[in-house]
Amino acid sequence: MAFDVEPKHFAGPGILLDRGISNVRTEDLQFKEEMKTKILTFLVLSFISAAFSEDFKTVNGKEYKDATVSRVEPDGIVVKTKSGISKIRFAELPKEVQERFHYDPQKASAYSAEQAANYTAYQKQQEEAQRERENAAAKQKAVFVEQEAAKNRTQALQARYNELRRQEDDLLLQIGEAKQPGPAYYGGKNNRTLLHHPNPQKSQLPLLQSRLSDVRREKGEVRKQLEKAQR
């Protein structure tokens, strides 16, 4: 005996799908499409709302043309105009605008007090930071001044040491010349003996030696100071 089985739905070659499963997938697709439409509508409305601009006029007559409300705070609204970003306090706006943005004087007062306290604390932090920067700059300047002074002292000591060395060399040369015999000449019997006249510089020898001693003593002291400064 043969039985004819008719498939309810062909999804493709060799694949059988039940109609119930097919209906579920169709409903899922419809649900996703509806969600996409709702999200797109919400984004469009949000964009339109954000881009919407209007005019605001304070009770004192000041006007804000083509202003876009970018933020609502307890004590006022922040608007953006062609001239920049401004905050309009609710106390400056007409009553209908206050009601529109749900203005609460008590909340506004508390918010303003909190903002003022935060600003005061911020100012103190900035002042303290400025003092710290100034103190650091003063210390750095003092270190720089001291380094420059030490550099100048080292240079002065080096220059003095070089000068004393030059004086020492000059005195040694003069002392050597003073110890030499005077001009030579021939004398004695038949003028065949080589003799020397007295050296006129010999009389300066004690003074030259005394000066050499002073120069060497000062040179030693300067050398010690220079070595200490260069450490």
Side-chain angles (χ1 to χ4, degrees):
M1 181 179 295
F3 293 93
D4 293 334
V5 178
E6 180 183 358
K8 295 182 179 180
H9 178 70
F10 281 94
I15 300 176
L16 297 177
L17 293 178
D18 187 85
R19 288 177 180 173
I21 297 176
S22 176
N23 291 336
V24 170
R25 291 189 175 182
T26 303
E27 291 176 358
D28 289 342
L29 292 174
Q30 291 177 351
F31 177 75
K32 289 180 180 180
E33 291 296 329
E34 290 177 359
M35 289 301 297
K36 288 181 180 179
T37 303
K38 290 180 180 180
I39 292 173
L40 181 60
T41 303
F42 173 76
L43 292 175
V44 171
L45 292 176
S46 298
F47 176 77
I48 295 174
S49 176
F52 181 74
S53 62
E54 57 183 309
D55 298 339
F56 290 97
K57 186 174 183 180
T58 66
V59 293
N60 295 327
K62 186 175 181 179
E63 292 184 344
Y64 296 84
K65 293 287 187 179
D66 296 327
T68 302
V69 178
S70 60
R71 188 169 68 255
V72 179
E73 297 178 348
D75 61 343
I77 55 176
V78 179
V79 298
K80 183 178 180 182
T81 61
K82 293 180 180 179
S83 59
I85 298 176
S86 306
K87 181 174 181 177
I88 314 174
R89 298 192 178 277
F90 284 128
E92 302 173 355
L93 292 169
K95 187 175 181 180
E96 58 271 18
V97 179
Q98 296 177 357
E99 293 176 351
R100 172 184 162 192
F101 290 99
H102 309 289
Y103 168 54
D104 186 335
Q106 293 182 349
K107 291 183 179 179
S109 178
Y111 179 79
S112 297
E114 181 183 1
Q115 291 296 102
N118 291 339
Y119 182 72
T120 301
Y122 172 77
Q123 280 187 318
K124 289 182 179 180
Q125 291 177 353
Q126 293 298 309
E127 291 172 358
E128 181 63 24
Q130 180 64 24
R131 282 194 296 268
E132 291 178 357
R133 287 193 294 268
E134 291 175 354
N135 291 337
K139 290 179 180 179
Q140 185 176 3
K141 182 178 179 180
V143 171
F144 176 78
V145 171
E146 179 59 27
Q147 290 176 345
E148 286 296 309
K151 180 180 177 181
N152 293 335
R153 287 194 299 268
T154 302
Q155 291 177 345
L157 288 170
Q158 185 65 57
R160 181 57 181 167
Y161 183 78
N162 294 338
E163 174 62 21
L164 290 170
R165 288 184 59 183
R166 187 190 63 77
Q167 292 182 18
E168 182 183 24
D169 293 340
D170 290 344
L171 287 170
L172 288 172
L173 180 62
Q174 294 179 43
I175 289 173
E177 292 176 351
K179 289 181 177 181
Q180 296 295 323
Y185 68 95
Y186 286 96
K189 190 177 180 179
N190 298 324
N191 291 328
R192 292 183 178 181
T193 304
L194 183 63
L195 301 174
H196 293 275
H197 291 288
N199 188 345
Q201 297 180 359
K202 188 174 183 179
S203 61
Q204 300 294 323
L205 190 58
L207 178 60
L208 293 173
Q209 291 176 336
S210 176
R211 289 179 57 189
L212 178 62
S213 178
D214 293 340
V215 168
R216 284 178 170 174
R217 182 173 58 255
E218 183 181 355
K219 190 183 79 167
E221 294 176 356
V222 172
R223 184 180 65 251
K224 292 179 181 179
Q225 296 177 18
L226 186 59
E227 291 174 350
K228 183 179 180 181
Q230 291 176 341
R231 289 176 186 172

